[in-house]
Amino acid sequence: MYRRFLKRFFDIALSFVGIILLSPVLLILSAAIVITDPGPVFFSQKRVGIHKKYFKILKFRTMKVDTPHDTPTHLLENPDQWITGVGRLLRKTSLDELPQIFNIFVGQMSVIGPRPALWNQYDLIDERDKYGANDVKPGLTGWAQINGRDELEIGVKAALDGEYVEKMSFGFDCKCFIGTVLSVLKHDGVVEGGTGELQKQTDEKERETADK
């Protein structure tokens, strides 16, 4: 009942209220983006939706207009050089994700679910197939996001997405939502350089210890 009907009802209601209440914030952030780096306010990107169907995800643009397109941040050489001043703040606070309330409203995404993979993140897509995580709507936030986010390796992230699919319920979605609010306030798991950064940092520490 919840998965088939109520989840979509809550998505529509929450996104509609969000669009109305956050309109002033959306306008202010849009102006700041244009003033800082003239160009489009929004950044659209091809992502993998439910049943691996593609859709265009919306984000506030946080990178310079000449940044390579359709390239995950962690695959860019020195990703920091491409991020604008306002973009850095938007990423740190996750405000760059706000435009996705429109994706939720039209039914391409859900408030809670696995974060949508880039169309060319084949390793993540394949791993999610093992857990059925490609057969649910991607979300604005999810179980993996409050358990490591950018720091997680592909296999761990896919397994957490699978755990979400297995436990999906109103109560579990509420847990993910509250956990997200707490994570954003603490800036947990946001790492420029992206997926698997936690393991990279661990390996680096181990090498430093071995060299001593």
Side-chain angles (χ1 to χ4, degrees):
M1 181 69 171
Y2 176 74
R3 295 191 182 205
R4 295 186 62 184
F5 302 109
L6 292 181
K7 186 173 174 67
R8 178 59 187 150
F9 170 78
F10 286 124
D11 284 341
I12 294 172
L14 290 173
S15 58
F16 178 75
V17 171
I19 291 170
I20 299 300
L21 295 182
L22 295 174
S23 292
V25 176
L26 295 172
L27 289 173
I28 292 171
L29 293 178
S30 297
I33 291 167
V34 172
I35 292 171
T36 302
D37 187 58
V41 170
F42 298 113
F43 173 70
S44 66
Q45 199 173 49
K46 187 164 74 170
R47 295 288 181 118
V48 179
I50 186 171
H51 305 314
K52 295 190 281 190
K53 294 180 180 178
Y54 296 138
F55 74 100
K56 290 287 188 178
I57 195 173
L58 285 178
K59 288 188 175 189
F60 276 128
R61 182 171 60 87
T62 60
M63 291 187 157
K64 299 174 184 177
V65 292
D66 56 346
T67 303
H69 199 64
D70 278 339
T71 303
T73 304
H74 67 283
L75 294 182
L76 289 172
E77 184 177 349
N78 187 17
D80 236 18
Q81 69 176 317
W82 301 103
I83 303 173
T84 65
V86 171
R88 190 167 286 106
L89 175 64
L90 292 176
R91 283 171 168 244
K92 188 174 183 180
T93 57
S94 295
L95 288 173
D96 60 315
E97 312 285 358
L98 276 183
Q100 288 160 45
I101 56 179
F102 296 104
N103 291 115
I104 295 170
F105 186 71
V106 301
Q108 296 168 324
M109 291 177 61
S110 181
V111 175
I112 309 295
R115 282 297 295 162
L118 274 166
W119 66 273
N120 55 1
Q121 285 183 295
Y122 306 115
D123 49 356
L124 177 58
I125 297 168
D126 289 344
E127 281 295 313
R128 283 177 168 172
D129 267 337
K130 300 176 182 178
Y131 302 99
N134 290 317
D135 296 323
V136 298
K137 281 185 183 178
L140 178 65
T141 186
W143 187 231
Q145 271 52 57
I146 62 174
N147 283 284
R149 196 174 174 178
D150 295 335
E151 299 175 340
L152 297 173
E153 289 189 294
I154 294 297
V156 177
K157 182 179 290 187
L160 286 168
D161 290 333
E163 185 178 350
Y164 170 75
V165 174
E166 183 180 339
K167 295 181 178 179
M168 188 191 303
S169 64
F170 177 72
F172 199 63
D173 276 4
C174 288
K175 183 176 182 178
C176 291
F177 185 83
I178 294 170
T180 297
V181 173
L182 296 176
S183 293
V184 169
L185 291 176
K186 295 186 294 183
H187 309 309
D188 283 350
V190 182
V191 180
E192 295 306 342
T195 303
E197 194 64 21
L198 179 62
Q199 186 60 48
K200 293 176 187 176
Q201 292 173 359
T202 301
D203 293 343
E204 183 63 30
K205 289 179 181 178
E206 290 177 350
R207 283 194 294 270
E208 289 175 357
T209 302
D211 291 340
K212 290 180 180 179

